[in-house]
């Protein structure tokens, strides 16, 4: 297979989407000059054209089904890191690729919210021993209820894989580190937490604070996309696709109470938290009221267990996380987050 056209639907202004999509785009542009790359943009970020002069811009939004369908039809490979829960966008991509008479590939971003224990959680900050494997538990993952985060679209993408259209899903957990892309340079879990602290909230954990969260550095997520892209360029290569093409991207785990206590200590040391600040235990109602996001998001982020083992990526793609671990990256991440918050206030 000779694949030379890549389409990346993304909105650079939608938070975590720009964080991951921008990082992947940066890598692909630098490492694959042979590819003709197009991106879907609602608006063009400042400096984008100067930084990526060879990238074609397709103007549109995730609601523009025909635009997305036509762009996917024109591509050999689609990497979808945009609004991963937007059904219309996913269907547009699938429609375009399915209409092709030549081989094509779809690499879709998901997230480990799908295997969190939020549906059964008693919200007491307890540890859950279940660690999901993307090999041993692949049938259970495929058969998750549609109420599981991201899952209905994930399964739709798994189901459309065939001899001509091969699909894969990359499913990272909470991401830390700084993006090298042009757009959003922070992720979700720690940035929202720190923003709350800077607005006067105390560092907190839920109940006993023993819940586990899988984590991964953004550079290791990009590496996983790069490995799958390389296999797609080889016509599928040694990668697995379709129902088995589901890849967790977790490198290690953290316990949230440890995170809360460490952020409190670093906040004091870096002088952006008062000297008296320390991590406190909160109940479910208190934690649930902390996030400006949809109801239950703070409980999910800071109170549920979401544990995953990246067996498939390690076994079939040779993926080995190489970036600094969560604890080594945390001081620098916090300094960057505080500086960005202050800059936003002064804008």
């Amino acid at each position: 297979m000779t694949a030379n056209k890549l389409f990346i639907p993304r909105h650079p202004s939608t938070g975590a989407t720009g964080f991951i999509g921008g990082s992947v785009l940066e890598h692909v542009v630098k490492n694959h000059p042979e590819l003709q790359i197009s991106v879907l943009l609602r608006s063009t970020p400042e400096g984008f054209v100067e930084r990526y002069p060879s990238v074609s811009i397709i103007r549109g939004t995730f609601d523009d089904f025909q635009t997305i369908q036509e762009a996917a039809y024109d591509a050999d490979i689609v990497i979808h890191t945009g609004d991963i829960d937007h059904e219309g966008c996913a269907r547009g991509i699938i429609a375009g690729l399915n209409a092709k008479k030549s081989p094509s590939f779809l690499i879709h971003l998901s997230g480990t919210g799908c295997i969190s224990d939020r549906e059964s959680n008693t919200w007491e900050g307890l540890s859950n021993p279940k660690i999901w494997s993307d090999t041993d538990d692949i049938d259970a993952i495929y058969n998750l209820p549609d109420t599981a985060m991201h899952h209905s679209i994930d399964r739709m993408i798994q189901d459309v894989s065939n001899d001509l259209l091969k699909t894969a899903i990359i499913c990272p957990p909470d991401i830390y580190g700084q993006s090298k892309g042009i757009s959003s340079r922070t992720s979700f879990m720690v940035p929202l937490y720190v923003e709350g602290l800077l607005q006067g909230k105390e560092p907190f954990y839920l109940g006993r604070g023993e819940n586990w969260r899988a984590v991964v550095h953004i550079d290791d997520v990009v590496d996983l996309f790069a490995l799958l892209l390389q296999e797609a360029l080889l016509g599928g290569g040694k990668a697995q696709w379709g129902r088995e093409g589901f890849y967790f991207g977790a490198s290690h785990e953290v316990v949230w109470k440890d995170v809360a206590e460490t952020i409190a200590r670093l906040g004091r040391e870096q002088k952006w938290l008062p000297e008296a600040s320390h991590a406190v235990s909160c109940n479910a109602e208190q934690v649930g009221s902390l996030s400006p996001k949809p109801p239950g998001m703070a409980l999910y982020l800071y109170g549920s267990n979401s544990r995953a083992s990246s067996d498939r990526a390690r076994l079939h793609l040779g993926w080995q996380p190489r970036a600094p671990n969560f604890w080594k990256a945390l001081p620098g991440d916090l300094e960057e987050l505080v500086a960005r918050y202050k800059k936003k206030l002064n804008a």
Side-chain angles (χ1 to χ4, degrees), residues 137-159:
D137 295 316
I138 189 61
D139 289 338
I141 293 169
Y142 177 81
N143 289 307
L144 285 167
D146 284 345
T147 54
M149 293 175 68
H150 317 309
H151 179 62
S152 61
I153 291 179
D154 287 354
R155 186 163 56 189
M156 177 175 67
I157 287 172
Q158 289 173 294
D159 286 345

Side-chain angles (χ1 to χ4, degrees), residues 117-119 121-126 206-207 283-284 296 299-300 303-304:
D117 63 359
R118 66 185 188 128
E119 296 294 335
N121 202 302
T122 60
W123 305 119
E124 299 172 85
L126 303 180
L206 174 67
N283 61 34
L299 280 172
Y300 159 69
S304 72

Side-chain angles (χ1 to χ4, degrees), residues 141-196:
I141 293 169
Y142 177 81
N143 289 307
L144 285 167
D146 284 345
T147 54
M149 293 175 68
H150 317 309
H151 179 62
S152 61
I153 291 179
D154 287 354
R155 186 163 56 189
M156 177 175 67
I157 287 172
Q158 289 173 294
D159 286 345
V160 300
S161 193
N162 56 55
D163 290 340
L164 276 182
L165 169 57
K166 298 186 185 300
T167 67
I169 293 170
I170 292 178
C171 188
D174 299 311
I175 302 174
Y176 62 94
Q178 300 302 311
S179 168
K180 296 179 175 65
I182 199 169
S183 189
S184 303
R185 297 180 184 271
T186 60
S187 56
F188 200 58
M189 180 179 70
V190 171
L192 279 179
Y193 188 85
V194 170
E195 184 173 338

